[in-house]
Structures are given as structure tokens and as C-alpha cells.
Amino acid sequence: MVQLLRRPYTTYAATDLLPAQQRELEQIEALAASINEAFPGSVHLVGPYEEDPKLRLAYFGVGDLYLNTSVRTGLDWSPFEFVMCSEDQMAPLCVSEFLGCSRVLSGSFSINPWNVDCVVDAVEKALQVLRPTLNPNPQTLSPEC
């Protein structure tokens, strides 16, 4: 399992982070490090200047599940990119109900990110929908969707 963890959008444009933003970023980095310690190479924290759209779209093309737990992002195009890149395999989406596009993504699992049980249930349901269609052959990343 590979997870792409994008930094919070509020930290992308800032040159100097507020103390609360710095603490949040440190917590995210610590969480990613602890997951990588248990499962080496499974989480890649993408910084604002590292993000390569071709690589992101390639990951979306082979992804089995899209999970977005944003609480105040507004309009995010990533779920639409995921749908377009994974349309051959019809991979499920679990998107935050606070995401601006959550209401137009019919068929996606709408989640309240503050309710951990809701998030877990949605991911479990999405994986149950996904399991019968999983391709047992590993896929390689290509620079295109």
C-alpha cells in the first residue's frame, strides 16, 4: 500500500508558518515517519515544491481507493482527477462532506472526518466494493493516466 500525503493547503503558499501550522506539519511528519517505520516506504509526504502532476496522476491511475479527509479545503480538483485517471477500474472514493465537490461526486462515500468510526466504516465499505474487482497482477506506474 502506498499513500501520498499532501501537506495542508494553508502551508503551500506561506513562506513562514504560524506556530499552529508548524505544529500541525510536525505532527503529520511524525505520523508519516512512524507509519514508514512499521511499513517502510508506504507513506510519501509531498511538499509544495515536490509535487509532480504527472506522478500524482500516475498514482491515481493505479490507485485502488481515494480518501480525502479535508475539513476546510473548499474546491479540490483531486477527486475529479482520480475519477478520470481510474475510470477503467471504477475505484471508489471516500470524500469529506466538507469538501466543496462532495455533493456532485455521486456514488462516492461521504464522510465526516471528525467521526473516526464514520471514516473507518466508509473505507471498509469501499474496500468491500473494491475487493471482487481487484486485479491480482501488480501494475507499474506510467507517466500518463
Side-chain angles (χ1 to χ4, degrees):
M1 176 173 73
V2 174
Q3 302 174 43
L4 292 180
L5 182 59
R6 298 170 82 187
R7 285 177 53 179
Y9 286 110
T10 55
T11 64
Y12 273 71
T15 53
D16 294 325
L17 299 177
L18 298 172
Q21 291 174 321
Q22 186 62 42
R23 280 193 307 275
E24 181 180 284
L25 189 55
E26 288 169 0
Q27 289 174 347
I28 291 170
E29 290 169 346
L31 179 60
S34 68
I35 292 171
N36 280 333
E37 189 175 305
F39 307 98
S42 62
V43 177
H44 177 66
L45 184 59
V46 180
Y49 303 108
E50 302 173 329
E51 189 164 316
D52 178 8
K54 287 183 180 181
L55 184 59
R56 183 181 73 242
L57 295 177
Y59 274 119
F60 283 173
V62 297
D64 293 325
L65 173 71
Y66 179 86
L67 176 64
N68 186 316
T69 56
S70 300
V71 291
R72 54 183 176 158
T73 299
L75 183 59
D76 183 2
W77 291 103
S78 296
F80 297 109
E81 293 172 345
F82 182 80
V83 168
M84 294 304 296
C85 291
S86 66
E87 69 181 332
D88 291 341
Q89 64 184 20
M90 298 294 292
L93 289 90
C94 298
V95 295
S96 169
E97 63 187 28
F98 303 116
L99 196 61
C101 61
S102 67
R103 284 151 191 82
V104 298
L105 290 168
S106 60
S108 67
F109 294 91
S110 183
I111 58 173
N112 179 344
W114 297 111
N115 183 341
V116 176
D117 293 332
C118 173
V119 174
V120 170
D121 288 344
V123 170
E124 284 180 348
K125 288 177 186 173
L127 291 175
Q128 288 172 359
V129 167
L130 177 69
R131 279 211 174 87
T133 62
L134 274 179
N135 182 0
N137 300 325
Q139 295 174 311
T140 58
L141 290 179
S142 66
E144 304 296 323
C145 290

